[in-house]
Amino acid sequence: MVKLYLKAISYLSTYIILYAGRSTTVSVTNSTLNINGSDIFQARDLSVCGSNDCQDPNITQQNIVQYVPPQTALYVMYGLMASMVLAAIIIHCCFVEKPDDNLQSEAKRDCKIKLAKDGVLMVMKSEKPESKAPKETLSLKNQDEVADEEDTKESSGGNFQLAVTSLRETIQQMFRPKQLLLTPFSLYCGVVLSFIFSELPRAYASCILGVHQVGLCLLVFSVVDAFVSFFIGRISARTGRRIPLGVAMCIDIVSGMLWLLWIPTQSTTWVVYVLFVLVGIANGIRMTMNSDTHAIYFPENQQKAYVVWSFWYLLGYALQFGWSTRVCVRFKVYVQLALLFVTATCIGVAEILFSRRLKKY
């Protein structure tokens, strides 16, 4: 939640900066255009927006005023971002207390014990012959020094062994039947969220409303996403996971149809804000339910399940951003709807198998 609210603040700052600098001078090919707010609106060619956005270099150059923000606004944004990063570093160095070494060592031991109990980490120490030195000599050594020596000996060869073991167990988890059924869901979450941050701001918000409205559209999405994420956990505790998931999938279908069929005009530009509200609702439900589903399906090895989920989620991110400027928006929407159909089918099968398993107990 805190992360989402911080995103909302950053989007609000972006909107204020871009809106304040919406009057600009833009260079198109070899000519220079002096453009103010009303001229920008009249200069837009909405026929190349939305699902018709194919990032053709010639069309993009002719309609560059719809995508390029003022240089002054860019410099202000760069300065604001650099100031925020610098402030974060100063706050961390000056006000965040450094952890105590003793507490770190105790936490490390407790973590090893917990991981061993959960079955994630099983480090077998080699049995050492008891020393023939008298107990008085051993008692002179500091217990912390003995523990540090043991940790050093373990880390010399234990880290590689642990990495290999973790990798093998993660790959095994990736090919478990239940995890395979959840794979399209994880991939879909990454593809859709990257579509929200790449295609919607460019092909819909910037192209139809103007680049100065991108921050406001993302602010609407972030606020809706935060509120839905906050309340959906309490709602799903009463209704279960299936109803919220079904609602999110229905919203995704409606959004996909709007992305494909809506023909933007100057009198219907408000639909862009509706699109961001819809994707905010769906994303708030989807991400919360995805995390909840993995926690319920894999109570004995949640760590590995979340690692596999992150892998497919980030792969979806990479795919969407990889073809962002290579194919038309229409093709991307078709791919997402097809992946949504596969996701719904796999989730349905997984829920049936999960219900049968619960009935046995």
Side-chain angles (χ1 to χ4, degrees):
M1 290 295 294
V2 176
K3 183 179 179 181
L4 291 174
Y5 287 128
L6 291 176
K7 283 184 178 180
I9 294 174
S10 65
Y11 296 147
L12 179 61
S13 303
T14 302
Y15 168 68
I16 293 174
I17 295 172
L18 292 178
Y19 187 82
R22 64 189 183 280
S23 297
T24 184
T25 301
V26 181
S27 175
V28 181
T29 60
N30 294 326
S31 60
T32 301
L33 300 178
N34 294 320
I35 300 172
N36 55 35
S38 59
D39 293 334
I40 289 176
F41 187 82
Q42 297 297 331
R44 291 194 191 99
D45 181 10
L46 301 184
S47 64
V48 297
C49 300
S51 60
N52 295 325
D53 186 305
C54 297
Q55 287 297 285
D56 183 85
N58 296 327
I59 296 178
T60 302
Q61 187 64 28
Q62 293 173 3
N63 300 276
I64 197 68
V65 294
Q66 300 171 212
Y67 305 103
V68 176
Q71 289 188 352
T72 304
L74 283 177
Y75 293 147
V76 173
M77 290 176 60
Y78 293 155
L80 177 62
M81 294 177 186
S83 301
M84 293 173 66
V85 173
L86 182 61
I89 295 174
I90 294 174
I91 292 173
H92 181 79
C93 295
C94 298
F95 299 101
V96 178
E97 296 182 359
K98 295 182 180 180
D100 190 0
D101 294 337
N102 295 330
L103 294 177
Q104 280 187 327
S105 59
E106 291 178 4
K108 185 178 179 181
R109 294 189 185 95
D110 293 340
C111 183
K112 286 184 177 181
I113 294 173
K114 183 180 183 301
L115 291 174
K117 289 182 178 179
D118 292 341
V120 180
L121 174 61
M122 297 297 294
V123 180
M124 303 300 296
K125 295 182 181 179
S126 58
E127 297 182 358
K128 300 178 181 180
E130 295 183 358
S131 176
K132 296 181 180 180
K135 294 182 179 179
E136 291 79 9
T137 305
L138 293 176
S139 62
L140 294 177
K141 269 195 170 184
N142 191 332
Q143 294 180 357
D144 293 336
E145 293 179 357
V146 174
D148 292 339
E149 290 177 2
E150 291 180 356
D151 290 341
T152 303
K153 292 178 181 178
E154 287 180 6
S155 62
S156 59
N159 289 336
F160 179 76
Q161 181 74 20
L162 175 61
V164 173
T165 303
S166 300
L167 180 60
R168 183 177 66 250
E169 292 176 350
T170 302
I171 294 175
Q172 292 175 354
Q173 174 69 26
M174 186 178 295
F175 291 98
R176 289 187 176 183
K178 287 190 297 183
Q179 189 70 62
L180 287 174
L181 289 173
L182 294 180
T183 295
F185 191 20
S186 303
L187 188 65
Y188 178 74
C189 289
V191 169
V192 172
L193 192 58
S194 59
F195 183 89
I196 294 171
F197 287 118
S198 62
E199 310 305 319
L200 282 185
R202 187 194 70 240
Y204 291 87
S206 181
C207 188
I208 297 173
L209 298 175
V211 69
H212 63 284
Q213 293 288 332
V214 172
L216 181 60
C217 292
L218 290 176
L219 175 64
V220 171
F221 162 76
S222 181
V223 171
V224 173
D225 189 3
F227 276 102
V228 172
S229 300
F230 179 76
F231 289 106
I232 195 62
R234 300 180 181 182
I235 296 174
S236 62
R238 298 182 179 181
T239 63
R241 300 184 310 279
R242 298 175 185 177
I243 294 178
L245 278 174
V247 171
M249 291 180 180
C250 290
I251 293 176
D252 284 339
I253 293 174
V254 173
S255 299
M257 293 295 102
L258 283 175
W259 295 339
L260 288 173
L261 303 178
W262 176 51
I263 300 176
T265 60
Q266 293 183 0
S267 60
T268 59
T269 55
W270 55 269
V271 177
V272 177
Y273 299 106
V274 177
L275 292 176
F276 278 90
V277 170
L278 290 176
V279 296
I281 297 173
N283 190 72
I285 299 174
R286 189 189 312 113
M287 298 302 291
T288 305
M289 291 298 100
N290 199 344
S291 177
D292 182 65
T293 302
H294 279 78
I296 294 176
Y297 278 24
F298 309 102
E300 71 285 354
N301 50 4
Q302 293 184 12
Q303 292 87 350
K304 293 191 292 291
Y306 282 122
V307 169
V308 176
W309 170 78
S310 299
F311 171 79
W312 292 112
Y313 173 75
L314 295 176
L315 180 61
Y317 239 91
L319 289 175
Q320 185 66 266
F321 279 103
W323 67 34
S324 178
T325 58
R326 298 178 183 273
V327 295
C328 297
V329 172
R330 185 179 301 274
F331 174 79
K332 301 168 191 174
V333 177
Y334 287 142
V335 172
Q336 288 181 197
L337 291 176
L339 186 57
L340 175 61
F341 176 77
V342 176
T343 298
T345 303
C346 293
I347 288 292
V349 174
E351 285 293 320
I352 293 174
L353 296 177
F354 185 73
S355 300
R356 290 180 179 178
R357 182 183 177 186
L358 289 180
K359 291 180 181 179
K360 292 182 180 180
Y361 298 96

